[in-house]
Amino acid sequence: MEGRVFSINISDRKGGPKNMVRQAAAVQDLGLEGDAHAGPGLRQVSLLAIEDIEDAEFSSSGSTELRPGIFGENITTEGVALSRLAPGDRILIGDAVVLRVRQRGKDCPDPCRIGRELGVCIMPKLGLFASVEQGGTLRVYDKVRIQSNRPRYLRLPSLFSIWKT
């Protein structure tokens, strides 16, 4: 599975939308430099897919146009099925950055501030949270690759080997 970084988003305050930037430093064991959520822990970096943001726009009753960073995510991806990832999977970005998936979704007041303002919040179900295993510079359009430790398929004996016995 391969995609790209659609947007990088940071904010110096928690609880609201983030602002788009062209690049950011991912700091090992901390998160994105300059972001209010940076610090030790399991939720150093948050991710959403632009495809999920576009889908949410159809169900939004708010007057605000949905855009990358509006749900408070740090990295908006394109072409990566984030919904298929599980804790333990790695996300490789560009030439250096390695994120480890730690959590899918989050507990959020119902409705949270973003949900009240926009009429919808997708972070509780579709948000992905990761820690920075290896730091480096993130840039918009960087390649995103997934490294999963889970088997892709179940190996079953072939019909030929069954027939042969």
Side-chain angles (χ1 to χ4, degrees):
M1 189 181 340
E2 190 174 293
R4 70 180 181 124
V5 173
F6 187 86
S7 178
I8 302 166
N9 317 292
I10 61 172
S11 177
D12 58 1
R13 294 182 307 153
K14 293 183 179 183
K18 297 187 184 286
N19 300 308
M20 292 184 277
V21 295
R22 297 207 47 77
Q23 66 179 35
V27 181
Q28 184 174 344
D29 298 324
L30 288 177
L32 298 189
E33 193 173 89
D35 187 66
H37 287 97
L42 301 179
R43 291 178 22 184
Q44 299 168 5
V45 178
S46 57
L47 300 98
L48 273 177
I50 189 65
E51 294 87 353
D52 292 332
I53 294 171
E54 289 169 347
D55 287 346
E57 191 154 23
F58 292 108
S59 60
S60 172
S61 62
S63 59
T64 304
E65 183 179 335
L66 301 187
R67 61 164 176 78
I70 197 79
F71 292 109
E73 80 278 6
N74 293 118
I75 300 171
T76 312
T77 63
E78 181 178 48
V80 179
L82 295 179
S83 62
R84 293 185 181 174
L85 303 185
D89 289 345
R90 285 191 172 105
I91 302 170
L92 314 170
I93 303 176
D95 296 328
V97 177
V98 179
L99 306 179
R100 166 120 20 205
V101 176
R102 299 295 185 174
Q103 179 180 329
R104 167 165 298 295
K106 69 173 189 166
D107 292 329
C108 208
D110 190 24
C112 65
R113 181 175 145 198
I114 294 171
R116 284 191 308 272
E117 290 176 11
L118 302 178
V120 63
C121 184
I122 59 177
M123 285 303 280
K125 290 186 179 179
L126 300 174
L128 203 63
F129 297 90
S131 59
V132 181
E133 279 196 352
Q134 183 175 309
T137 302
L138 295 170
R139 292 178 182 84
V140 174
Y141 306 121
D142 272 353
K143 188 181 297 186
V144 175
R145 298 173 313 279
I146 303 305
Q147 186 180 63
S148 177
N149 294 328
R150 293 171 288 134
R152 291 184 185 203
Y153 56 89
L154 181 63
R155 287 185 181 245
L156 297 173
S158 71
L159 289 175
F160 180 74
S161 65
I162 294 171
W163 173 76
K164 194 174 164 186
T165 56

